[in-house]
Amino acid sequence: MRIIITGASGRMGQMLIRAVVQAQGAAELVGATERASAPSIGKDAGVMLGLDALGVNITDNLANCGAADVLIDFTSPEACLNHARFVADHNMAMVIGTTGFDVDQQAELDAILKDSPTVVAANYSVGVNLALNLIQQAAAVLNADYDAEIYEAHHKHKVDAPSGTALAMGKALAAGRDVKLDDVAVYSREGITGARESGSIGFSVVRGGNIVGDHKAMFIADEERIEINHFASDRMVFAKGAVRAALWLKAQRAGRYDMQDVLGLK
Ligand code: NAD
């Protein structure tokens, strides 16, 4: 499988190059791009990471890359839209990790990639995606006697709350109970809140230090408590999941897939 990585010297781009190298033969890096002003332009992608040379120089132009099967993009919404046009024009597949698209950009992306096999996920961790599935199953079994709460903790630099993954857990939980998250979510509690409303899904958030990402779904009854926990300790987990998605995508028809598809959980 021939892979192009965009945003090659970004935090995730560097991890993705390592993940492709670690895939040992199953995946081959044939191109790596960066924005024109990036200091890494012209450098070998392997040498940049202190690895052996890969024979792939980082370029600002996708047209300079070798013929590829899949493009993996963890950049920005604007850059990702341009990369998607290239993918559609060259009959390739695409793995998208970039987040933060507004409604118009999302619609544009969907239109550009309508005939391309595409995986989109806000979190490529295999463990998180399995946890989402387990949470939905648990919520379908554990009725409203079990108070459902979601907890998440992240590093002190994170600017949004609750995390996208905590919200995805909330949605999975709500789906298992056949309700809409928006109708039952309680995002903050302060002062005289009154007793807990049965059927609500509460969120709690911790910020501090360099926590990569902790998430927990709790089902709390009077007699027992079930918890589904996930702890991320290294961002490499997202890169490995994205490369797994790229390898899976090769055999797929045009369409939009997510990590639940990749892991065979649907
Ligand atoms: P980053 O800023 O470190 O890296 C982004 C890179 O893209 C930068 O090096 C930038 O120069 C490059 N870039 C920008 N425009 C470009 C262009 N036109 N062509 C080529 N490269 C270009 O950010 P990051 O932490 O690596 O995150 C990138 C994106 O991935 C963000 O949207 C983030 O939210 C998302 N992300 C998703 C997951 C997931 O599992 N889905 C995990 C981590 C990060």
Side-chain angles (χ1 to χ4, degrees), residues 159-262:
V159 294
D160 57 316
S163 69
T165 300
L167 291 171
M169 286 185 163
K171 280 189 189 144
L173 211 160
R177 286 187 165 173
D178 215 9
V179 294
K180 283 208 169 98
L181 179 62
D182 286 348
D183 295 341
V184 294
V186 176
Y187 291 115
S188 67
R189 297 183 177 114
E190 188 186 22
I192 309 298
T193 59
R196 188 183 199 286
E197 199 170 316
S198 176
S200 61
I201 299 176
F203 287 78
S204 53
V205 172
V206 165
R207 293 285 175 265
N210 61 0
I211 301 172
V212 176
D214 296 351
H215 291 92
K216 172 159 64 177
M218 288 170 272
F219 297 88
I220 311 164
D222 290 347
E223 310 83 4
E224 63 177 355
R225 180 165 87 234
I226 295 117
E227 297 187 350
I228 297 171
N229 270 296
H230 181 269
F231 304 105
S233 48
D234 193 318
R235 288 161 67 90
M236 190 68 186
V237 74
F238 308 124
K240 283 186 173 173
V243 170
R244 181 165 171 169
L247 295 174
W248 175 86
L249 207 41
K250 194 174 182 185
Q252 307 307 317
R253 295 164 187 224
R256 184 182 167 133
Y257 304 98
D258 59 24
M259 276 303 272
Q260 303 287 319
D261 296 305
V262 174

Side-chain angles (χ1 to χ4, degrees), residues 7 10-12 34-35 74-75 79 83 97 99 121-124 235:
R11 278 168 294 191
M12 284 306 301
E34 254 300 339
R35 69 194 146 75
F74 284 63
T75 58
H83 300 152
T99 59
N123 188 319
Y124 274 94
R235 288 161 67 90

Side-chain angles (χ1 to χ4, degrees), residues 6 20 22 29 53 55 70 73 78 137 152 156 193 240 245 248 255:
T6 50
V20 168
Q22 286 175 16
L29 187 72
V70 181
D73 184 279
E78 298 75 19
Q137 278 186 56
E152 61 106 327
K156 60 188 168 195
T193 59
K240 283 186 173 173
W248 175 86

Side-chain angles (χ1 to χ4, degrees), residues 124-137:
Y124 274 94
S125 149
V126 169
V128 158
N129 282 283
L130 179 60
L132 290 174
N133 190 273
L134 295 174
I135 289 167
Q136 185 164 342
Q137 278 186 56

Side-chain angles (χ1 to χ4, degrees), residues 98-112:
T98 301
T99 59
F101 295 88
D102 66 28
V103 174
D104 291 344
Q105 287 171 325
Q106 190 60 61
E108 197 179 345
L109 188 67
D110 292 346
I112 294 168

